[in-house]
């Protein structure tokens, strides 16, 4: 992928006094109108603060949740203003309407910040309506896209705006995501090991297909492994499995050869609740009345050894039902092995919503944890992200 023009590439006179229209990802979790996790707001702060320091007037755009075809007070970005003010340590003007709001953006002082209402309150957003992109474009003098997590959708405030308002450049978070995910896939230092897990093989087939020719090994875990076991003729008891994907799994096994590494054993239990009855079994000995909820100790040690040999690691998908301890132990072990690999000089990248949640607290000890969720998966699949493609090349 060609490098995208970055905010860093714009000269000071392109910023000073100008209105920067910044697409951020403030799609934060809310409970009773309060932000329960401000990670995404903090992730956008470096770009916003840089612009403010350079004298720009900052107008922020974001979507929030999935409003069904119109304004919904429960999904108003007004609820997020206070947290943005706290994170940026400045006041933030709320703009309820993009047409009426143009005047407010022109009145902003240098270094001032405004936040537009949820972009999805206007139906043209998800239809990538050029007229809505024009309306948004009137709120700024140039465009900065810092919403990697929204880059896999061609919407008016992402792809549409990047075509409409120039210069259209990548913010620092976007730049970081593209750099680490891109370098891992395009110029990996070897051995290059991928760890893939999670609930379903079906959502990850394209990831496996895209990674197979690039990696030296794929370490499989999570419920995804069960479908491979079925393909090998093992029983999987009551485990989460996709029976209709068995042929596909057979094909992948045949093509992958020695690259695809499956768990040697599993932690099984009759149910998630009956934790006391959990035990470790070999992968081909899963009892009929049990389900696989995690990788076993032997597999953890095996994967750890492989990760410590790697120079590049990409991880997507938990190794077990990590939301229910003690079935988080396998995921935890892989996370700690990645931390150690990082300390020994490996480049370690985590993508995927649940995977990012599983390594929360370890972020600073890994090379990069993508904020992207679905976007990072599509990136791993090798798909071009429309929101990125529309930005100017460096
Ligand atoms: P990501 O969001 O990182 O892409 P996924 O959404 O694919 O990851 O997978 C996460 C989900 O997979 C978690 O909710 C986890 O509980 C589930 N999971 C992992 N292993 C198992 C298993 N053995 N049985 C059932 N669910 C599993
Ligand atoms: Mg998920």
């Amino acid at each position: 992928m060609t490098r995208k023009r970055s905010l860093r590439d714009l000269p000071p006179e392109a910023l000073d006094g100008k209105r920067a229209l910044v697409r951020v990802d403030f799609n934060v979790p809310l409970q009773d109108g309060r932000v329960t996790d401000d990670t995404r707001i903090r992730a956008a702060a470096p770009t916003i603060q840089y612009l403010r320091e350079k004298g720009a007037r900052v107008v922020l755009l974001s979507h929030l949740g999935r409003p069904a075809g119109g304004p919904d007070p429960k999904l108003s970005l007004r609820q997020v203003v206070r947290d943005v003010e706290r994170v940026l340590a400045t006041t933030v003007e709320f703009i309820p309407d993009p047409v009426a709001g143009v005047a407010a953006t022109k009145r902003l002082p240098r270094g001032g910040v405004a936040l537009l209402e949820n972009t999805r309150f206007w139906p043209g957003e998800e239809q990538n309506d050029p007229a809505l992109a024009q309306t948004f474009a009137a709120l700024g003098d140039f465009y900065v896209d810092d919403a990697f997590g929204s880059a896999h959708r061609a919407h008016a405030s992402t792809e549409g705006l990047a075509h409409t308002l120039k210069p259209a450049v990548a913010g620092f978070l976007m730049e970081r995501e593209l750099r680490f995910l891109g370098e891992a896939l395009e110029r990996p230092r070897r051995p290059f090991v991928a760890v893939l897990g999670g609930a379903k093989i079906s959502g990850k087939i394209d990831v496996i297909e895209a990674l197979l020719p690039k990696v030296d090994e794929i370490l499989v875990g999570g419920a995804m492994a069960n479908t491979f076991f079925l393909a090998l003729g093992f029983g999987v008891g009551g485990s989460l499995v996709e029976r209709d994907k068995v042929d596909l799994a057979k094909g992948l096994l045949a093509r992958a050869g020695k690259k695809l590494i499956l768990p040697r054993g599993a932690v099984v239990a009759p149910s998630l609740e009956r934790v006391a009855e959990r035990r470790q079994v070999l992968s081909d000995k899963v009892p009929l009345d049990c389900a696989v909820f995690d990788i076993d100790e032997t597999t953890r040690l095996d994967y750890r050894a492989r990760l410590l040999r790697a120079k590049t690691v990409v991880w997507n998908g938990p190794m077990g039902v990590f939301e229910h301890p003690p079935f988080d132990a396998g995921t935890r072990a892989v996370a700690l092995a990645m931390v150690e690999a990082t300390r020994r000089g490996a480049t370690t990248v985590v993508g995927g919503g649940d995977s990012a949640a599983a390594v929360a607290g370890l972020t600073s000890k890994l090379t990069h944890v993508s904020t992207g969720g679905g976007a990072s998966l599509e990136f791993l699949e090798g798909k071009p992200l429309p929101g990125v493609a529309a930005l100017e090349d460096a």
Side-chain angles (χ1 to χ4, degrees), residues 352-355:
D354 290 291
S355 311

Side-chain angles (χ1 to χ4, degrees), residues 300 303-305 307-308 332-342:
R300 289 171 215 165
Y303 285 7
R304 177 186 153 79
L307 289 170
L308 292 185
R332 188 103 203 117
V334 165
L336 292 176
M338 286 208 23
V339 166
E340 198 169 334
T342 317

Side-chain angles (χ1 to χ4, degrees), residues 197-200 204 222-223 226 240 292-294 316-323 351-356 377:
K200 288 185 175 175
K204 307 280 170 84
N226 300 331
L240 180 62
V292 172
F293 293 126
D294 200 2
N316 168 259
M319 296 291 98
V321 186
F322 75 101
E323 304 94 330
D354 290 291
S355 311
L377 268 186

Side-chain angles (χ1 to χ4, degrees), residues 97-281:
D97 180 89
V99 177
V102 174
T105 64
K106 293 189 170 157
R107 278 196 310 268
L108 273 179
R110 290 166 75 249
V113 182
L115 172 65
L116 180 74
E117 180 57 284
N118 191 346
T119 52
R120 290 192 183 166
F121 282 7
W122 293 276
E125 165 72 335
E126 289 175 83
Q127 290 148 18
N128 199 5
D129 177 2
L132 183 62
Q134 288 286 355
T135 301
F136 288 152
L139 296 165
D141 300 314
F142 65 101
Y143 177 64
V144 181
D145 190 351
D146 218 16
F148 177 75
S150 305
H152 57 315
R153 310 263 180 262
H155 289 170
S157 71
T158 58
E159 205 259 1
L161 256 180
H163 284 301
T164 311
L165 183 61
K166 305 283 179 184
V169 299
F172 298 146
L173 177 61
M174 175 69 93
E175 198 183 9
R176 213 180 129 75
E177 294 275 6
L178 297 177
R179 180 153 71 95
F180 286 115
L181 289 170
E183 272 175 16
L185 294 184
E186 282 161 33
R187 287 181 296 277
R189 290 181 297 136
R190 295 188 182 274
F192 176 16
V193 176
V195 187
L196 291 180
K200 288 185 175 175
I201 192 172
S202 50
K204 307 280 170 84
I205 288 161
D206 292 343
V207 180
I208 303 176
E209 297 271 12
L211 288 178
L212 261 182
K214 295 181 175 163
V215 299
D216 298 294
E217 276 179 346
I218 297 183
L219 316 182
V220 178
M224 185 200 277
N226 300 331
T227 307
F228 285 113
F229 289 143
L230 218 52
L232 290 170
F234 302 173
V236 295
S239 301
L240 180 62
V241 69
E242 290 172 284
R243 292 181 193 277
D244 57 329
K245 294 288 181 292
V246 166
D247 283 340
L248 201 126
K250 279 184 187 160
L252 282 172
L253 282 168
R255 264 181 300 136
K258 283 192 192 140
K259 277 190 183 180
L260 208 60
I261 315 291
L262 296 174
R264 301 179 185 198
V267 178
V268 300
S271 72
L272 276 177
E273 289 69 40
R274 288 163 70 177
V275 166
E277 292 162 71
R278 74 184 185 281
R279 60 189 193 276
Q280 308 200 42
V281 298

Side-chain angles (χ1 to χ4, degrees), residues 189 304 307-313 333-349 361-368:
R189 290 181 297 136
R304 177 186 153 79
L307 289 170
L308 292 185
R309 282 198 297 269
K311 286 283 180 292
T312 305
V313 184
V334 165
L336 292 176
M338 286 208 23
V339 166
E340 198 169 334
T342 317
R343 200 159 47 214
R344 296 186 184 188
T347 301
T348 55
V349 178
L362 298 173
T363 308
S364 65
K365 296 176 176 162
L366 301 165
T367 308
H368 182 63

